[in-house]
Amino acid sequence: MKRVLTCLFLIATFGCEEKADVSQSAVTESIPEPDFTISVEKNHNKFSSAIPYQIKVPNGSVVEAFTKEATGGQLNVNSTLDDFEKVDMGKVHTLTGPIYVEGAEVGDVLAVELLDLEPGDWGWTGMGPEFGFLAGETDAKGFKTYKLDKENNLVHFSENISIPMKPFPGVMGVAPNTEEMLTTIPPRANGGNMDDPNLVKGITAYFPVFVKGALFSIGDTHAVQGLGEVVGTAVECDMRIRFRLSIIKDKKIAEPEYESKDYYATTGFGTSIDEAAKKATRYMVEHISKTYDISWEEAYMLCSLIGDLKIAEVVDLPHMLVTMHIPKSVFEKDKKY
C-alpha cells in the first residue's frame, strides 16, 4: 500500500508540474489580436514625407500588416532566371504603409515590437554579376525558388541542405524629413533597408521620428538571411506580420536601435564598414553612459569588453550597416555574464 501511495503521490506531483508548464507556455506564446489590419495593396516603394499615410492608429496599437516579396509580385514560385533578369527594379521594395501614429512628434522615438512573423508559402533567391558584395568579380548568375516547409520551419535549399527559417522584415522605417522621393535601397537614419537578420519575433526596434505621425512602413520580408546578405538577396517572401506601435517621449536616438530580452543593440550606417562601425560604437557608448549613469570613458572601455560588432549588410549601396550588441545581464547584480 505504501508503495502504491508513493506512486500516486509522484504522479500527482509531476502531473501538476507538467500542467503548470504547459499553461505557462501558452501564456508566453499568446499573441495579441490586431487592432488594425493594413493590406498588401496599401503600399509604396520610396521614402518621403510627401507620401500620404494609408491608415492612422492610436499610440499603443497592435497592427497586422501583409507584405509582398521584394519585387512586389513580379515573381512567383514558378519563375525562372530569365524572369528574374527581367524584373523592373523601379518596382522593388514594395512597402506596406505608411502608418500614421497619433501623438508622434518630431524628436520622439517610435517603438516597434515584433509580435509575430508568418512567411508565405514560397520564396526565392537570386544573384547576378552586377549586384552583391563580389560584384564585378564574377559573371555568375543564379536563381532559385522554394516551397517553404512551414510545418518543419525549414527552407530546403537543395536535396541535402535545409535551413531553419528565421523570418524578419528587411525594411522597416519611418519617413525622413524630406519631400524628395528617396530610393529604398540603402539604409539611412530613418531605418529603411537595414537587412538585419536579428530583427526577428520578440525584438523591439526603435526609430527616431522625423515627421509628425512618424509614417512607419514595413516590407522586403525574408524567410531567412545571413549577416551581410552577400549576394544581395535573402529568401525573399510574402509575410503576415503583427507588431505594436508605441511612442516614447523621453528617449533620444540618432539612428535605429533595438533590443531583445537578453541584449541591446545600436546601428550605424555608412559608406564604409569603418564609418558604420564607428557610429554603432559611438551610439552604444552614449546608450550605456546615459542608461546606466556611468562616465563616457567607462562606457567606452566596457564596449571593448562586452560589445560585439556585427555586419548586418554590405550590399545596399551606397550604405552599409553595422550593429553593436551588448548583453543586459552584466548590468543586473544577480546575473552573471
Side-chain angles (χ1 to χ4, degrees):
M1 174 63 85
K2 183 176 181 181
R3 186 175 179 181
V4 172
L5 290 173
T6 301
C7 289
L8 289 173
F9 172 78
L10 290 172
I11 291 171
T13 301
F14 288 107
C16 290
E17 287 182 357
E18 184 177 357
K19 287 181 181 178
D21 290 342
V22 170
S23 175
Q24 182 62 38
S25 174
V27 171
T28 303
E29 291 299 316
S30 177
I31 300 168
E33 289 299 312
D35 302 306
F36 298 88
T37 295
I38 181 166
S39 69
V40 73
E41 290 77 24
K42 306 290 187 181
N43 63 65
H44 61 97
N45 73 334
K46 294 290 188 292
F47 273 114
S48 173
S49 63
I51 298 173
Y53 63 84
Q54 297 288 348
I55 60 171
K56 179 183 284 191
V57 304
N59 180 25
S61 295
V62 173
V63 179
E64 175 184 60
F66 292 86
T67 68
K68 281 187 176 293
E69 47 79 30
T71 72
Q74 297 180 70
L75 298 174
N76 60 59
V77 71
N78 297 313
S79 293
T80 63
L81 176 60
D82 185 55
D83 296 321
F84 174 62
E85 294 183 319
K86 293 177 181 177
V87 164
D88 181 351
M89 291 299 292
K91 297 179 180 178
V92 163
H93 287 168
T94 301
L95 307 179
T96 302
I99 301 170
Y100 185 107
V101 185
E102 295 175 356
E105 302 288 346
V106 176
D108 293 345
V109 168
L110 179 69
V112 182
E113 183 184 355
L114 296 174
L115 301 170
D116 193 42
L117 298 100
E118 181 184 345
D121 294 328
W122 72 282
W124 64 267
T125 304
M127 59 169 285
E130 298 178 356
F131 192 52
F133 200 40
L134 302 182
E137 296 186 19
T138 174
D139 294 327
K141 302 177 180 179
F143 181 77
K144 298 173 73 75
T145 64
Y146 323 86
K147 290 184 178 179
L148 301 181
D149 183 355
K150 293 196 286 185
E151 181 178 354
N152 297 298
N153 196 48
L154 293 172
V155 176
H156 299 295
F157 182 81
S158 66
E159 184 177 343
N160 299 317
I161 301 174
S162 294
I163 307 167
M165 288 196 284
K166 291 180 64 178
F168 76 98
V171 175
M172 285 194 292
V174 295
N177 184 23
T178 179
E179 293 188 358
E180 182 182 354
M181 293 293 171
L182 302 177
T183 173
T184 60
I185 296 299
R188 301 183 180 87
N190 68 308
N193 194 26
M194 298 187 290
D195 281 328
D196 185 343
N198 289 296
L199 295 171
V200 295
K201 177 179 176 179
I203 292 292
T204 298
Y206 303 106
F207 298 89
V209 174
F210 296 104
V211 300
K212 188 177 179 64
L215 301 182
F216 176 77
S217 300
I218 192 166
D220 183 35
T221 37
H222 302 157
V224 67
Q225 179 209 296
L227 287 162
E229 196 188 27
V230 292
V231 300
T233 58
V235 175
E236 312 287 338
C237 67
D238 303 338
M239 198 168 289
R240 172 179 179 261
I241 310 172
R242 274 181 278 184
F243 50 89
R244 180 181 285 109
L245 298 174
S246 305
I247 303 162
I248 303 175
K249 296 288 185 180
D250 57 353
K251 185 179 179 74
K252 303 294 180 185
I253 57 176
E255 295 182 31
E257 301 180 357
Y258 60 89
E259 67 179 317
S260 72
K261 63 181 179 62
D262 298 317
Y263 68 82
Y264 195 90
T266 54
T267 76
F269 75 91
T271 55
S272 69
I273 292 294
D274 283 355
E275 180 187 359
K278 285 180 179 180
K279 290 171 75 176
T281 301
R282 191 178 303 120
Y283 296 146
M284 184 57 80
V285 173
E286 293 170 358
H287 167 75
I288 292 174
S289 181
K290 292 178 181 178
T291 304
Y292 300 103
D293 193 27
I294 63 176
S295 70
W296 189 95
E297 292 81 6
E298 285 195 326
Y300 187 22
M301 287 190 288
L302 195 54
C303 283
S304 191
L305 305 182
I306 63 169
D308 290 328
L309 285 170
K310 301 174 185 285
I311 298 172
E313 67 82 11
V314 292
V315 294
D316 298 324
L317 300 178
H319 297 151
M320 301 177 177
L321 193 79
V322 173
T323 68
M324 178 175 275
H325 291 209
I326 59 161
K328 294 179 179 178
S329 58
V330 298
F331 301 100
E332 301 173 20
K333 292 181 180 180
D334 296 332
K335 291 187 177 181
K336 295 181 179 180
Y337 176 45

